Amino acid sequence: MLTSARTIAKDRFGSSLKPMLIMLASVGLVFAGLYGFNAFRSIMIGRFLASMANPPQTVSVTTAKLEEWRPMLAAIGTFRAVSGADLALEASGVVEKILFKSGEDVAAGQILLELRKDTDNARLESLKATAELNEINLRRDQAQLKLKAVSQATVDSDLANLRSAKAEVAQQEAVIAQKTLRAPFAGRLGIRSVDIGQYLSAGATVVTLQAIDALYLDFVLPQQNLNGLDVGQGVTASVDAYSGQTFAGKITAINSKVDQGSRNVQIRATFPNPDRKLRPGMFASVSIAVGKPEQLVTVPQTAIVHAPYGASVFLAQKNASAGEAGNGESGGLVARQSFVQLGATRGDEIAVIEGLKAGEVVVTAGQMKLRNDVPLKISNTPQPPVNPDPKPIDR
């Protein structure tokens, strides 16, 4: 009886234990699945955040170069002729002859224009006749004086009359000469502004004449630059008319005083102009090399990051912690900030005195999104321009 009761109890316990074990196993599997899912989710979120923390940044780069650097002074000047004048006549009258063509080369003393001078020539002939008569009277009275037929006072009066008549002839010849325009020096004429038959007032410009085989270039520089300037020093100039071409000249004069208002000093350079490309009045950009050449590390000015705490550049360097594989998208390059001491500028270039070595790869565009250890993706299209002597372009 007792055995039957135990058997019945065992059967009942066994039949209830099995579902319980299955339930516990199911709950355990559910909790294990939840834990695994949470762990997997945490790992994936961490990886995602890690990848988002330093995504590769696209930048442009260049290599720092060691270049010969010589301090340059820049100025703006204007060309003017060594000899130049607006030709005009001292007398007024009607234009009778024009003996030149606009734009032609003329020799010194060449006749260019004549005014009508019929009346003046007639008066000259009258004055010459009077002078000849006075000369005859003088010779006659001098012969009579030897015979004591006239007094010395008469001879003296005849001599004075002759001199006066000759002076009037010379004066009239000068008046006639004033109605003839001659080239005062050899050069090239401009465009004439008168026509035959036109009445021309005294002092009215007929044509401009410029000697352009050599030109002056006048410009000013601040007084602090006087220490590096001397007569005979080389100067280069460029003009908008000939893009990319430079012209060489030499300093021939430095003004003896400094302007009190601007504290600038005027400087004149002379430029040979055998091909006559340069013209008086042209605007020119002037460059003067001063001091001794130096070997300095140079980079584009766009590579410099300016901040209140100093200037710096971002270097593109290999990521040592990335191992052999590196970063597939960035090629294993990361950004490294380096503070630099800057020197002078030259166009789009700037000299770096300290903090950068020749041959190091420098970021030239895209620095605003960089910080240390950010992976880099190199794209040099487009590349920022680097011109040591840039010029504005009219569009």
Side-chain angles (χ1 to χ4, degrees):
M1 187 68 177
L2 180 60
T3 302
S4 299
R6 288 179 178 178
T7 301
I8 294 172
K10 185 177 180 180
D11 290 340
R12 290 179 177 177
F13 179 77
S15 61
S16 61
L17 180 61
K18 187 175 181 179
M20 185 178 296
L21 291 175
I22 293 174
M23 181 187 67
L24 292 175
S26 300
V27 172
L29 289 173
V30 171
F31 277 107
L34 291 174
Y35 177 79
F37 174 76
N38 287 331
F40 175 76
R41 185 179 62 177
S42 299
I43 292 172
M44 295 306 295
I45 290 175
R47 289 181 179 179
F48 176 77
L49 293 177
S51 64
M52 291 299 294
N54 287 321
Q57 300 294 336
T58 303
V59 296
S60 296
V61 298
T62 190
T63 303
K65 298 180 292 185
L66 190 65
E67 293 185 346
E68 184 178 281
W69 190 280
R70 192 174 184 185
M72 302 291 292
L73 299 178
I76 300 300
T78 303
F79 281 106
R80 55 158 297 178
V82 173
S83 296
D86 292 332
L87 304 185
L89 288 168
E90 299 179 57
S92 58
V94 177
V95 177
E96 186 176 56
K97 295 180 182 179
I98 297 177
L99 305 174
F100 69 91
K101 295 180 180 179
S102 299
E104 72 175 351
D105 294 329
V106 295
Q110 181 175 331
I111 296 176
L112 305 178
L113 179 142
E114 291 183 357
L115 298 180
R116 187 175 300 165
K117 44 192 174 184
D118 297 341
T119 303
D120 297 300
N121 287 333
R123 175 171 171 74
L124 177 62
E125 293 301 320
S126 174
L127 292 175
K128 285 182 177 180
T130 301
E132 290 176 0
L133 177 61
N134 289 333
E135 187 174 4
I136 292 172
N137 291 334
L138 175 62
R139 286 198 301 267
R140 182 185 299 116
D141 289 342
Q142 285 176 338
Q144 294 293 328
L145 179 62
K146 292 179 181 179
L147 301 175
K148 306 295 184 181
V150 296
S151 65
Q152 182 65 43
T154 301
V155 174
D156 293 341
S157 178
D158 291 340
L159 181 60
N161 290 336
L162 177 60
R163 289 177 176 175
S164 176
K166 287 184 175 180
E168 289 181 355
V169 169
Q171 181 182 16
Q172 186 62 23
E173 288 177 343
V175 170
I176 294 175
Q178 289 178 355
K179 293 193 174 184
T180 300
L181 180 64
R182 296 177 181 269
F185 50 85
R188 177 171 291 180
L189 295 172
I191 299 175
R192 66 180 175 91
S193 55
V194 298
D195 297 301
I196 292 178
Q198 177 181 341
Y199 180 82
L200 194 65
S201 301
T205 299
V206 175
V207 68
T208 183
L209 176 62
Q210 305 289 326
I212 58 176
D213 290 331
L215 295 179
Y216 290 141
L217 178 60
D218 293 337
F219 57 95
V220 296
L221 285 173
Q223 62 179 4
Q224 59 265 31
N225 296 138
L226 278 174
N227 188 37
L229 300 178
D230 200 3
V231 173
Q233 191 168 349
V235 178
T236 59
S238 59
V239 295
D240 294 339
Y242 305 102
S243 179
Q245 184 176 356
T246 58
F247 301 87
K250 291 184 178 181
I251 295 176
T252 51
I254 300 176
N255 205 348
S256 57
K257 69 174 185 177
V258 175
D259 184 80
Q260 294 184 2
S262 63
R263 303 302 176 186
N264 292 333
V265 62
Q266 185 177 3
I267 300 168
R268 172 170 289 176
T270 302
F271 283 73
N273 191 31
D275 52 5
R276 298 186 174 184
K277 287 185 175 181
L278 300 175
R279 300 294 177 89
M282 272 187 170
F283 166 90
S285 298
V286 187
S287 296
I288 307 172
V290 296
K292 296 181 179 179
E294 300 179 85
Q295 293 292 327
L296 296 177
V297 177
T298 64
V299 295
Q301 291 198 50
T302 56
I304 306 301
V305 179
H306 297 277
Y309 48 80
S312 63
V313 296
F314 279 97
L315 306 177
Q317 296 181 341
K318 285 288 184 179
N319 186 4
S321 62
E324 294 294 331
N327 189 315
E329 189 175 358
S330 66
L333 293 177
V334 295
R336 293 281 191 272
Q337 190 174 21
S338 176
F339 288 92
V340 294
Q341 181 180 343
L342 303 178
T345 59
R346 183 176 62 186
D348 295 330
E349 295 180 334
I350 188 168
V352 179
I353 308 302
E354 293 181 3
L356 186 64
K357 297 178 181 179
E360 291 186 305
V361 180
V362 181
V363 177
T364 57
Q367 303 96 317
M368 298 302 295
K369 53 190 176 183
L370 298 184
R371 61 181 184 275
N372 281 325
D373 297 326
V374 170
L376 300 179
K377 181 181 179 182
I378 307 303
S379 175
N380 288 329
T381 305
Q383 181 75 1
V386 183
N387 188 346
D389 189 22
K391 299 290 188 302
I393 299 176
D394 294 331
R395 297 204 181 265

